[in-house]
């Protein structure tokens, strides 16, 4: 394309993500989508969601909706797709069969495709013949001399006429090459009338004007076949970026569904933040070239560089994900944090006698400090770390006494603290600390703060008593101290 003064104009960047609807998306597939989306957004291009649903035997009901929901949760939006019609509709391969048939017939007419006359049993016999000759099985070695005319009921194979070595440039891997042995007569259209991946994605990319393809490096071995088909159709091939695998936690084996790779929405259900997951996945296999680790979506779009994607596999590190999620949670304003937190407080807590959303909002600082992801709130509840805020704690009386101290000392110090609170109007935990802490330093912090914290929470491990007092309020604090004093006085 040229402008008014004859200068060549660069092509508009078009990328795509083309998953198969065979189940849930795991992080490997999602990262591929992320990199393609980042590249398109960085270059003010177009990002397309396309569904490769030509393998009907493996398709699972609901997968397309699940793919859409997964990407939307992460924050990846597309310009064209199954739910967003555009100039390149339709976006399901099963609705594009006429396109594949048109190009298949074109290849057949040029003598570059032929009907496969062999049965599965005959192909297997030819394969055994190659094994006996101790050479790799190549279908082109047994290409029929006079194949029947293709009528759409037989498989259609590409006729590889230009047997040669290939070299090509990969945006991640650099210069790659393969010898003639990588070329073969592969199937274009299956017997059921549906195209193979090897054929369909090339036609789709052609018709959708895709300029850059991001895909797993497992397709490197098939690239020579793709290149031979581009040549046969006289097409300019898109730029290719072969992405490294995401390795399991041990770093030795590729993470995959069959090895227990989780559905990306499992992370959503566990309460990970989508912005943290996007940040994490971007850095699993890519490095910005500096010390930065925390990025917003906009910062990722600006910083992403496909040429800095690693060539080798990157390890899945859940500890890093947890750290990153907590760091992103720190950025959430208190009001917004409280709104989301209330959604995750389980009903077992909300049914307690003194529960209210208003009181729950007061424990935002406690929750912020203790959780890595939202579902940790339920864990805290199950571990008994929340109930004492909303109901009187149950505990063993002798645990009110600090180790090495006496019941009498605990009674004395709790009484003094109660009296100090009698005329106190608390606003936040710093005011409670200003009131009580000087006395604790004088009388012994363990002798004062241990019985106070235990009286308020009934827990050996809990937030400091000043934070507890802020949440409970002065009157409830006095009430719980009086209950503790009554238990101590009746004890022994």
């Amino acid at each position: 394309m040229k402008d008014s003064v004859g200068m060549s104009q660069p092509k508009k960047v078009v990328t795509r993500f083309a998953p198969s609807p065979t189940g849930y998306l795991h992080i490997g597939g999602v990262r591929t989508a992320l990199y393609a989306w980042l590249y398109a957004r960085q270059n003010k291009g177009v990002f397309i969601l396309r569904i490769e649903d030509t393998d009907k035997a493996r398709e699972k009901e609901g997968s397309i909706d699940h793919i859409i929901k997964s990407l939307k949760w992460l924050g990846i939006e597309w310009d064209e797709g199954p739910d967003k019609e555009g100039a390149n509709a339709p976006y399901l391969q099963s609705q594009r069969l006429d396109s594949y048939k048109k190009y298949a017939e074109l290849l057949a007419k040029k003598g570059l495709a032929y009907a496969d006359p062999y049965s599965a049993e005959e192909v297997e016999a030819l394969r055994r013949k190659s094994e006996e000759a101790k050479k790799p099985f190549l279908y082109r070695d047994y290409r029929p001399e006079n194949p029947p005319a293709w009528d759409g009921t037989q498989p259609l194979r590409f006729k590889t006429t230009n047997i040669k070595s290939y070299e090509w440039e990969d945006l991640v891997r650099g210069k790659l090459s393969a010898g003639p042995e990588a070329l073969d007569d592969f199937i274009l259209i299956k017997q059921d009338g549906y195209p193979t991946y090897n054929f369909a994605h090339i036609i789709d990319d052609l018709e959708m004007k895709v300029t850059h393809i991001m895909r797993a490096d497992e397709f490197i071995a098939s690239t020579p076949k793709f290149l031979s088909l581009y040549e046969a159709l006289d097409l300019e091939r898109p730029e290719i970026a072969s992405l490294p695998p995401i390795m399991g936690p041990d770093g030795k084996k590729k993470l995959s569904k069959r090895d227990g790779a989780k559905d990306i929405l499992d992370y959503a259900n566990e309460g990970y933040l989508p912005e943290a997951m996007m940040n994490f996945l971007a850095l699993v296999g890519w490095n910005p070239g500096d010390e930065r680790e925390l990025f917003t979506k906009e910062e990722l779009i600006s910083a992403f560089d496909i040429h800095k994607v690693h060539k080798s596999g990157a390890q899945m590190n859940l500890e890093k994900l947890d750290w990153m999620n907590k760091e992103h949670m720190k950025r959430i304003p208190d009001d917004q944090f409280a709104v989301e937190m209330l959604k995750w407080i389980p009903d077992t807590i909300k049914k307690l006698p003194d529960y209210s959303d208003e009181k729950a909002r007061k424990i935002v600082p406690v929750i912020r400090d203790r959780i890595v992801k939202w579902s940790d709130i339920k864990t805290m509840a199950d571990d008994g770390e929340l109930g004492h805020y909303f109901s009187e704690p149950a505990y063993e009386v002798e645990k009110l006494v600090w180790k090495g101290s006496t019941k009498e000392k605990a009674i004395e110090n709790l009484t003094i603290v109660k009296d100090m609170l009698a005329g106190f109007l608390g606003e936040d935990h710093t005011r409670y600390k200003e009131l009580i802490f000087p006395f604790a330093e004088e009388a012994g912090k363990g002798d004062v703060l241990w019985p106070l914290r235990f009286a308020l929470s009934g827990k050996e491990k809990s937030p400091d008593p000043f934070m507890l007092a802020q949440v409970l309020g002065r009157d409830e604090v006095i009430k719980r101290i009086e209950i503790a004093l009554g238990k101590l006085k009746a004890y022994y």
Side-chain angles (χ1 to χ4, degrees):
M1 181 186 298
K2 294 186 177 181
D3 62 17
S4 57
V5 294
M7 297 295 290
S8 180
Q9 298 242 350
K11 285 184 178 180
K12 187 179 187 67
V13 167
V14 180
T15 68
R16 46 76 165 173
F17 178 53
S20 299
T22 55
Y24 62 81
L25 278 181
H26 72 82
I27 60 171
V30 175
R31 190 194 60 177
T32 299
L34 175 60
Y35 284 3
W37 176 79
L38 286 171
Y39 193 82
R41 290 293 173 263
Q42 185 179 73
N43 290 279
K44 296 179 172 51
V46 175
F47 176 66
I48 297 172
L49 175 62
R50 188 173 76 217
I51 305 297
E52 298 188 342
D53 63 336
T54 57
D55 190 344
K56 292 301 179 181
R58 296 179 61 231
E59 185 173 338
K60 293 186 179 178
E61 185 177 354
S63 291
I64 296 175
D65 289 340
H66 193 85
I67 289 167
I68 289 173
K69 184 178 179 181
S70 299
L71 296 177
K72 285 185 174 179
W73 171 74
L74 195 66
I76 294 176
E77 71 282 355
W78 42 94
D79 303 293
E80 303 176 30
D83 62 339
K84 189 179 287 188
E85 291 294 297
N88 297 296
Y91 300 96
L92 271 65
Q93 285 186 334
S94 60
Q95 298 174 4
R96 301 177 62 83
L97 300 184
D98 287 344
S99 291
Y100 312 131
K101 184 178 180 181
K102 178 180 72 173
Y103 284 95
E105 289 175 342
L106 174 63
L107 288 168
K109 186 176 181 180
K110 292 172 67 175
L112 295 175
Y114 61 91
D116 183 347
Y118 298 127
S119 66
E121 292 76 15
E122 287 172 322
V123 172
E124 184 57 32
L126 295 174
R127 191 182 303 276
R128 287 196 301 270
K129 185 176 180 181
S130 292
E131 290 175 357
E132 290 167 1
K134 296 183 179 180
K135 64 179 186 176
F137 172 69
L138 291 172
Y139 195 94
R140 58 183 166 86
D141 289 340
Y142 304 98
R143 184 185 298 158
E145 293 183 6
N146 296 298
W150 183 56
D151 61 9
T153 64
Q154 321 101 312
L156 182 72
R157 283 188 181 268
F158 176 59
K159 186 176 181 179
T160 310
T161 56
N162 194 3
I163 308 301
K164 64 177 184 177
S165 297
Y166 276 98
E167 287 188 355
W168 68 97
E169 192 72 24
D170 188 284
L171 294 175
V172 173
R173 298 283 183 149
K175 189 174 292 294
L176 296 174
S177 63
E181 70 280 355
L183 299 177
D184 200 8
D185 292 3
F186 58 91
I187 293 178
L188 303 173
I189 305 290
K190 295 177 289 185
Q191 193 167 2
D192 61 6
Y194 283 98
T196 61
Y197 167 82
N198 291 343
F199 183 48
H201 86 273
I202 288 178
I203 303 307
D204 290 336
D205 290 341
L206 164 67
E207 296 199 334
M208 295 182 183
K209 301 178 180 64
V210 172
T211 61
H212 294 76
I213 298 172
M214 317 287 176
R215 63 184 173 214
D217 63 2
E218 64 194 56
F219 289 100
I220 289 176
S222 299
T223 300
K225 296 177 183 177
F226 305 154
L227 296 178
S228 65
L229 187 51
Y230 286 127
E231 288 182 357
L233 291 168
D234 197 24
L235 303 178
E236 180 184 353
R237 71 166 178 83
E239 296 287 341
I240 297 171
S242 299
L243 307 179
I246 296 179
M247 311 303 286
D250 62 0
K252 297 178 181 178
K253 191 176 182 182
K254 177 184 173 182
L255 196 66
S256 66
K257 289 182 181 181
R258 72 184 59 162
D259 294 321
K262 291 196 298 188
D263 182 344
I264 190 69
L265 288 182
D266 284 346
Y267 293 97
N269 294 334
E270 290 173 21
Y272 285 95
L273 302 180
E275 53 267 37
M277 180 59 75
M278 176 180 283
N279 188 167
F280 172 74
L281 283 180
L283 293 173
V284 180
W286 167 74
N287 188 296
D290 53 39
E291 298 301 315
R292 288 178 297 168
E293 292 190 288
L294 297 175
F295 292 83
T296 64
K297 180 191 293 190
E298 292 72 23
E299 288 168 342
L300 281 174
I301 291 172
S302 176
F304 183 71
D305 185 346
I306 190 63
H307 300 287
K308 291 182 179 177
V309 172
H310 303 163
K311 293 180 175 65
S312 58
Q315 187 174 347
M316 177 67 178
N317 187 336
L318 288 175
E319 290 182 2
K320 187 65 169 285
L321 173 60
D322 285 346
W323 171 82
M324 201 168 279
N325 200 70
K326 189 170 182 67
E327 291 301 309
H328 277 275
M329 287 190 120
K330 290 177 181 178
R331 299 179 173 186
I332 303 175
D334 281 349
D335 289 348
Q336 183 183 337
F337 188 99
V339 169
E340 188 65 23
M341 178 193 74
L342 292 175
K343 299 176 185 176
W344 289 84
I345 293 178
D347 289 342
T348 53
I349 298 297
K350 292 183 176 181
K351 291 177 181 179
L352 293 175
D354 295 332
Y355 177 86
S356 69
D357 285 352
E358 182 181 359
K359 182 177 281 191
R361 287 188 182 94
K362 293 181 180 180
I363 64 174
V364 164
V366 178
I367 297 295
R368 268 193 186 279
D369 184 58
R370 301 294 295 277
I371 69 170
V372 167
K373 55 189 181 298
W374 291 117
S375 62
D376 291 343
I377 295 175
K378 182 179 184 302
T379 302
M380 289 179 68
D382 292 343
D383 291 345
E385 297 181 41
L386 296 180
H388 54 266
Y389 291 107
F390 310 107
S391 63
E392 293 177 9
Y395 50 81
E396 298 171 7
V397 182
E398 63 270 20
K399 290 186 177 180
L400 286 162
V401 180
W402 175 242
K403 57 185 177 182
S405 189
T406 64
K407 175 184 80 168
E408 288 74 22
K409 196 69 174 176
I411 291 172
E412 177 186 349
N413 289 336
L414 283 174
T415 301
I416 292 172
V417 171
K418 185 191 78 166
D419 292 343
M420 293 171 75
L421 290 169
F424 175 72
L425 298 176
E427 296 176 358
D428 57 46
H429 72 285
T430 60
R431 298 236 15 235
Y432 281 101
K433 187 170 185 177
E434 289 170 3
L435 177 72
I436 299 170
F437 199 71
F439 166 63
E441 287 189 310
E442 177 185 337
K445 286 185 281 189
D447 276 325
V448 175
L449 300 183
W450 176 269
L452 175 59
R453 186 175 70 173
F454 214 88
L456 300 183
S457 70
K459 297 289 180 183
E460 295 182 16
K461 295 181 180 179
S462 69
D464 70 65
F466 313 117
M467 182 64 71
L468 287 165
Q470 175 189 330
V471 175
L472 296 172
R474 187 200 63 171
D475 292 345
E476 181 66 20
V477 170
I478 291 174
K479 175 184 172 184
R480 293 191 183 189
I481 290 175
E482 288 176 340
I483 291 172
L485 286 169
K487 290 182 177 181
L488 282 167
K489 291 172 182 177
Y491 187 60
Y492 298 122

